[in-house]
Amino acid sequence: MSYDITLVPGDGTGPVLTACARRVLEAAGVPISWDVQDAGQGTFERTGDPLPERVLASIRANGVALKGPLSTPVEAPYPNVNLTLRQELDLYAGVRPCRSFPGVPSAYEDVDVIVIREMTEGMYTGIEFEEGTVATKELIGFIEEETGRRIRDRSGISIKDISVHGTERIVRFAMRYAIDHARSKVTASHKANIMKFSDGLFLETARRVASEEFGQVPFEDRIIDACCMQLVSTPERFDVLVLPNMYGDLVADLCAGLTGGLGLAPGGTHGDGVAVFEAVHGTGPRIKDPDRANPSALILSATLLLHHIGEPEAADRVERSVAAVLAEGRSVTYDVKPSRNDPTAVTAAEMTEAVIASL
């Protein structure tokens, strides 16, 4: 049986890194029929549309995609291509595994945290009011009338929305993930002590879902600033974290920093009947030669894809191979060398070949 999977090469380092991940999956013996769909900056320059409908149609039809990072052109009709893709496909659950790999320079040795991020609500919905517009002035007036509090003139305003529906489904996702992956507990993080009607709703709903539907899974909560402090001081106290959108974004990067950086940070975003797997890092605009980028994050994202489509044996083999190459420390890119100026650092293609040789 061959799997139909959409491949979005992306921008910047994306085409090189998706090619690396594709090579590894093929070498692992998983039969895949790739539907290659271009999007992002390059597509906008050619067609005037950074996210053509054909890309979304392909992902909907196949139900699964492997995606490189996308750039959003300044002239694009929406503020962020990645955000628009998630909204169009209702990819509400971001999964960011953060684990330590022997051989990778890091201040920590045994980090193993899963960050599950709500992806459709909160501060990242893109609902904003620009400073100086009539609508913004009217909104400032409305807020003052309703609350008695005056927002300063010449302010820009962003809307943060958290719903019962959005919280219920992300908490259910986190709980089911913990059960399916034999994790020990789930921690919800929030700022309910200050934002009582948004984060407070998130916490109240999370507690209700956890107690009424998943009583067998240990559940706790942390205020977000305390959570960040404890992640840095004692990350071993956490297992699965579930957070609103912006907190999840920040905490996922924090945890990536605990384990060696974004070059090792895989991810997947899930909706109902559809999933897109991609590295956490961006397009790498500061990397002049894309072949210097670390392919590990996208290869590890591909292992999440393999688990998703029901190929756990291949997924485990690929992950063990990546871990072996990192532990040996010879055929690795500059960012996981003890010194970033190490002349023995290899290219993305060469590291990929080492991973394949270790399969």
Side-chain angles (χ1 to χ4, degrees):
M1 179 183 72
S2 178
Y3 299 97
D4 295 324
I5 297 175
T6 302
L7 179 69
V8 183
D11 297 307
T13 59
V16 167
L17 299 181
T18 53
C20 291
R22 179 175 175 173
R23 283 270 297 119
V24 172
L25 292 186
E26 291 169 351
V30 180
I32 296 174
S33 176
W34 297 101
D35 181 10
V36 180
Q37 295 287 339
D38 292 323
Q41 178 78 41
T43 302
F44 178 80
E45 292 171 357
R46 292 191 302 273
T47 69
D49 186 352
L51 187 61
E53 177 57 34
R54 58 173 169 74
V55 180
L56 301 171
S58 173
I59 298 173
R60 290 189 185 102
N62 293 326
V64 62
L66 182 65
K67 170 183 162 296
L70 297 176
S71 293
T72 302
V74 175
E75 309 88 349
Y78 27 78
N80 186 280
V81 175
N82 296 289
L83 174 61
T84 302
L85 185 145
R86 293 168 192 157
Q87 290 174 335
E88 289 292 325
L89 298 174
D90 197 23
L91 299 170
Y92 65 87
V95 179
R96 304 287 187 260
C98 302
R99 57 164 288 200
S100 299
F101 286 96
V104 175
S106 172
Y108 302 83
E109 294 182 353
D110 297 311
V111 177
D112 184 8
V113 177
I114 307 296
V115 178
I116 296 181
R117 165 190 171 193
E118 203 290 321
M119 300 285 282
T120 64
E121 298 185 336
M123 290 298 294
Y124 287 174
T125 55
I127 302 173
E128 294 192 294
F129 292 81
E130 185 180 1
E131 179 270 321
T133 64
V134 172
T136 303
K137 292 176 182 177
E138 291 177 350
L139 179 58
I140 289 173
F142 171 78
I143 291 171
E144 182 176 20
E145 181 180 337
E146 291 295 316
T147 68
R149 300 183 63 178
R150 177 72 181 177
I151 294 175
R152 291 186 180 93
D153 292 331
R154 303 203 64 188
S155 292
I157 299 175
S158 296
I159 299 297
K160 173 178 177 174
D161 63 312
I162 290 180
S163 71
V164 171
H165 169 71
T167 303
E168 285 178 341
R169 66 179 183 174
I170 194 63
V171 173
R172 288 181 182 126
F173 184 97
M175 291 294 184
R176 290 174 185 137
Y177 185 99
I179 294 169
D180 292 345
H181 295 82
R183 309 295 295 203
S184 63
K185 67 177 179 179
V186 174
T187 304
S189 192
H190 57 86
K191 195 66 176 175
N193 57 321
I194 301 296
M195 288 172 279
K196 299 183 184 298
F197 298 142
S198 53
D199 286 35
L201 180 63
F202 178 87
L203 177 58
E204 177 187 349
T205 305
R207 285 174 171 169
R208 174 175 54 78
V209 171
S211 63
E212 293 181 1
E213 301 180 30
F214 299 94
Q216 74 275 35
V217 180
F219 174 83
E220 62 183 13
D221 70 270
R222 289 286 193 286
I223 295 173
I224 185 63
D225 41 346
C227 178
C228 290
M229 182 275 291
Q230 291 169 3
L231 277 166
V232 172
S233 62
T234 50
E236 65 273 11
R237 71 172 65 193
F238 295 102
D239 193 350
V240 176
L241 278 163
V242 60
L243 310 97
N245 201 342
M246 185 174 73
Y247 302 155
D249 185 21
L250 302 178
V251 167
D253 278 15
L254 185 155
C255 290
L258 302 181
T259 58
L262 293 178
L264 300 166
T269 50
H270 299 254
D272 294 330
V274 64
V276 176
F277 297 89
E278 58 187 318
V280 175
H281 61 69
T283 59
R286 290 181 293 181
I287 301 177
K288 295 181 179 179
D289 179 3
D291 203 30
R292 294 185 70 236
N294 190 338
S296 300
L298 206 51
I299 294 172
L300 292 171
S301 298
T303 69
L304 302 180
L305 183 155
L306 290 176
H307 279 294
H308 180 75
I309 64 175
E311 292 284 350
E313 187 275 334
D316 291 342
R317 280 195 293 118
V318 172
E319 187 167 345
R320 286 195 299 268
S321 296
V322 172
V325 170
L326 290 170
E328 184 184 43
R330 184 174 61 182
S331 298
V332 296
T333 50
Y334 75 95
D335 58 309
V336 285
K337 288 286 188 179
S339 168
R340 290 192 167 224
N341 296 318
D342 191 325
T344 67
V346 302
T347 65
E350 289 168 334
M351 185 173 179
T352 298
E353 291 306 315
V355 170
I356 291 172
S358 184
L359 284 172

